[in-house]
Amino acid sequence: MVQAVMTIAAEDDALGARGRSRLLRSPQFSSFVILIVLLAVFAVADANFLSPLNISNMMAFLPELGIIALGMTLLLTAGEFDLSVGAVFGLAPVVVMLLVQNGGVDIGVALLAGLMLCIAIGAINGLIVTKIGISSFLVTLSMLLVVRGAALYITQGFPLKSWDQPGFFVTLLAGSFNIGSFRFYTSLWWFIGLSLFAIYILRYAKLGNWISAIGSNRNAAVARGVPADSVKIWLFIATSVLAGLAGMISAFRISAASPVAGTGYELEVIAMVVVGGTALTGGRGTILGTIVGALMLRAIRNGIVLIGVPGLAYNIFVGLIILAMLILHALLQKNAARG
Amino acid sequence: MMQEVLRLQNLQKSFGSVRALKNASLTLREGEVVALLGDNGAGKSTLIKAISGVFPVDRGDIYVRGEKVSIRSTRDAMDLGIETIHQDTSLAPDLSIARNLFLGREPVNFGWLGVFAPLDLAKLRKAASALLKRVGISKKLDADALVSTLSGGERQSIAISRAMQFAAKVIILDEPTNNLGVEETHGVLRFVKEVRDAGHSVLLITHNIHHVFQVADRIIVMRRGEIVAEQTVADTDLLTVESIITGADMSALLKEARAK
Ligand SMILES: Nc1ncnc2c1ncn2[C@@H]1O[C@H](COP(=O)(O)OP(=O)(O)O)[C@@H](O)[C@H]1O
Ligand SMILES: [Mg+2]
């Protein structure tokens, strides 16, 4: 992992001492160091932290928020964000399951309908933000209420039993396999694959250049002929689709689709992204940082319980650790600007 | 007489009740620097935004090399060989110099992948270094440095060299020396001359008359959305131009100056 962070960060810079020193000051690297420290602290404090069972548990949850965080990273880099992801995470499986159970629709067709729904939600977010010019905070906050409300209304507030017959789609989204005494879900492959794709997009593809430029200075990008509005609309769509995908994965894994699933996920996901070093103000995004951030929040939530912090107190710790990370990034950023 | 490159005919543009451009016409010829002068609010930026495709004009025609064109987007203007360096900086500070130089026209491999195509990073870096060398700033600047680490003058130089690299016929500079130090200002002005000597036509917007006399071949003065004067630099002097800009009666001053 260290090697991966090193190599990828060095690609972009001229190789050599300069590239390396720039890497050591990069936000994703400082997040990575802190992640290692946290893991070490938890491992020392409680031997169960690194047990196969516990690691398997963490890895089961990780992709569900992590996949959304990938989309959110790209969106934040372009200077926008999406508060409706948690609600979409809840609505998509509920709609799919209602179609299957009450409508007698084939599961494949129902999944396709769920995908269309996510695309529509993302497109509406994107169109209102770019064409009418309302801030994404307000637009997606309203969308959160609409989507969550829809999920509650169509289910009358009751959770649905999810699809639990084994088959192609369940295996595809929520199958599991064992490596030694570790139990992993296929969702981990989804997360790894999508992460690699997102790294490619942001660092190496033309699109990534546009995304960073739009978030850094939208007018400059537009003046160079970059279609800023279309890029943003597609990023809103991608984020919604990823949220829906994560929702489906979760629903299949636990064999239930709850209309309140994903409540509060939007803030957890944004925390993962900014803790990883992506700037909330746009222009500077790092997928590696987001992966580190996702691992960190997962580890914190899990480790804090293990080391015996009372359940009701644990958000205090999560909040403080996030705050400390952000202060660290801000100080590093200030230093970099001065140097 | 040099060949005409760009001609604007009776351009009009209003923002609500503000008539930013009333009936603006001008001609730009090959290899000349034309200075567009005028007080704040005269309509200079509006004029060049219309040429560079930021917004459409309400009425009027634009000709490039004698052919009538329609410029509906910044991409249209760039494709016609019109590169603009806007007043409000035209670079993305979080991107490297190399990435900024090719923003919107990235060299890629596997072009059929569209926006998903991978950047040709080697080519990007090589072209950027070559360009920086050509404009004489290679010693100081590294193509991989982030634009946010550059000074204002360096940023202007980068923006101007970007305009040069696509062999633009017309390069438009909106107040390129604003907020720059003396040294940096001279650097940019020297750069403008080099750009002209390389065969590009330059439309230079400024409200600093002294700069105009250093680099321009012709002067066009705007006042309240209209072009009120057009003179070659050789046929005029600082005081005359100043009086045209402000519209003040400076004849007394002029007489005094001539008497000397
Ligand atoms: N986008 C806009 N919306 C409304 N009014 C504008 C806009 N841009 C320019 N104006 C107005 O048009 C006039 C000309 O402005 P501008 O072209 O920026 O002048 P200059 O660049 O010569 O200082 C000013 O009165 C200005 O307030
Ligand atoms: Mg102006």
Side-chain angles (χ1 to χ4, degrees), chain B residues 40 44-45 87 174-175 205:
Chain B
N40 274 334
K44 308 183 295 292
S45 293
Q87 187 168 12
D174 194 358
E175 311 249 8
I205 289 110

Side-chain angles (χ1 to χ4, degrees), chain A residues 96 100 105-114 163 169:
Chain A
V96 171
V100 171
V105 178
D106 176 72
I107 178 78
V109 176
L111 284 170
L112 194 65
W163 187 260
F169 291 110

Side-chain angles (χ1 to χ4, degrees), chain A residues 204-206, chain B residues 105-112 114 117-121 123:
Chain A
Y204 301 108
K206 179 153 104 175
Chain B
R105 284 179 172 171
E106 296 83 354
V108 295
N109 296 314
F110 312 108
W112 51 272
L119 297 175
D120 187 342
L121 288 176
K123 187 169 169 191

Side-chain angles (χ1 to χ4, degrees), chain B residues 146-244:
Chain B
L146 296 185
V147 164
S148 60
T149 63
L150 304 182
S151 75
E154 287 167 340
R155 289 184 201 201
Q156 277 308 349
S157 306
I158 298 296
I160 298 172
S161 38
R162 181 172 66 186
M164 284 174 75
Q165 81 186 308
F166 297 110
K169 294 177 200 131
V170 179
I171 296 178
I172 302 171
L173 297 155
D174 194 358
E175 311 249 8
T177 56
N178 254 14
N179 311 319
L180 295 191
V182 179
E183 231 6 75
E184 291 186 328
T185 299
H186 283 296
V188 169
L189 293 179
R190 201 172 334 112
F191 211 6
V192 169
K193 284 186 209 163
E194 281 167 25
V195 169
R196 175 197 38 207
D197 295 344
H200 309 272
S201 309
V202 179
L203 188 58
L204 172 70
I205 289 110
T206 177
H207 50 225
N208 187 319
I209 306 177
H210 300 276
H211 295 167
V212 171
F213 279 85
Q214 285 175 48
V215 296
D217 302 305
R218 254 177 341 125
I219 294 175
I220 290 173
V221 181
M222 286 189 77
R223 200 162 63 217
R224 286 189 227 105
E226 281 173 305
I227 287 173
V228 292
E230 191 178 335
Q231 293 181 314
T232 54
V233 167
D235 298 338
T236 187
D237 57 60
L238 237 147
L239 281 173
T240 314
V241 173
E242 202 147 64
S243 69
I244 299 170

Side-chain angles (χ1 to χ4, degrees), chain B:
Chain B
M1 175 117 304
M2 286 291 220
Q3 207 195 329
E4 155 194 321
V5 178
L6 176 72
R7 182 153 53 92
L8 313 178
Q9 205 145 27
N10 303 324
L11 297 193
Q12 299 184 16
K13 177 78 188 176
S14 299
F15 296 106
S17 61
V18 180
R19 294 181 66 196
L21 284 182
K22 280 176 195 155
N23 228 345
S25 303
L26 68 81
T27 305
L28 190 62
R29 296 190 198 90
E30 208 168 60
E32 68 171 351
V33 176
V34 170
L36 189 58
L37 286 163
D39 254 343
N40 274 334
K44 308 183 295 292
S45 293
T46 305
L47 183 72
I48 63 111
K49 280 178 180 163
I51 310 170
S52 58
V54 174
F55 44 59
V57 287
D58 300 336
R59 201 166 297 159
D61 298 318
I62 301 175
Y63 297 83
V64 172
R65 291 199 186 264
E67 261 181 63
K68 192 169 157 185
V69 295
S70 81
I71 299 178
R72 284 195 218 89
S73 68
T74 51
R75 176 64 71 175
D76 285 349
M78 285 159 71
D79 289 345
L80 287 166
I82 301 170
E83 292 278 340
T84 306
I85 294 139
H86 290 282
Q87 187 168 12
D88 20 54
T89 92
S90 16
L91 301 178
D94 298 307
L95 267 55
S96 70
I97 293 177
R99 279 174 180 250
N100 262 288
L101 284 172
F102 291 92
L103 181 55
R105 284 179 172 171
E106 296 83 354
V108 295
N109 296 314
F110 312 108
W112 51 272
L113 286 171
V115 295
F116 296 107
L119 297 175
D120 187 342
L121 288 176
K123 187 169 169 191
L124 186 77
R125 203 169 289 149
K126 218 167 107 199
S129 303
L131 188 73
L132 291 178
K133 191 164 287 162
R134 205 177 86 205
V135 299
I137 42 184
S138 65
K139 280 177 216 90
K140 284 175 281 170
L141 298 178
D142 166 9
D144 289 314
L146 296 185
V147 164
S148 60
T149 63
L150 304 182
S151 75
E154 287 167 340
R155 289 184 201 201
Q156 277 308 349
S157 306
I158 298 296
I160 298 172
S161 38
R162 181 172 66 186
M164 284 174 75
Q165 81 186 308
F166 297 110
K169 294 177 200 131
V170 179
I171 296 178
I172 302 171
L173 297 155
D174 194 358
E175 311 249 8
T177 56
N178 254 14
N179 311 319
L180 295 191
V182 179
E183 231 6 75
E184 291 186 328
T185 299
H186 283 296
V188 169
L189 293 179
R190 201 172 334 112
F191 211 6
V192 169
K193 284 186 209 163
E194 281 167 25
V195 169
R196 175 197 38 207
D197 295 344
H200 309 272
S201 309
V202 179
L203 188 58
L204 172 70
I205 289 110
T206 177
H207 50 225
N208 187 319
I209 306 177
H210 300 276
H211 295 167
V212 171
F213 279 85
Q214 285 175 48
V215 296
D217 302 305
R218 254 177 341 125
I219 294 175
I220 290 173
V221 181
M222 286 189 77
R223 200 162 63 217
R224 286 189 227 105
E226 281 173 305
I227 287 173
V228 292
E230 191 178 335
Q231 293 181 314
T232 54
V233 167
D235 298 338
T236 187
D237 57 60
L238 237 147
L239 281 173
T240 314
V241 173
E242 202 147 64
S243 69
I244 299 170
I245 293 173
T246 57
D249 181 11
M250 296 184 80
S251 50
L253 274 173
L254 274 176
K255 256 180 229 147
E256 203 175 297
R258 297 225 171 88
K260 277 186 193 162

Side-chain angles (χ1 to χ4, degrees), chain A residues 1-2 20 180 187 217 222 243 245 265 273 332 334:
Chain A
M1 181 80 193
V2 185
R20 232 172 288 131
S187 57
N217 183 349
V222 170
L245 172 69
Y265 276 19
V273 175
L332 284 172
K334 238 188 209 162

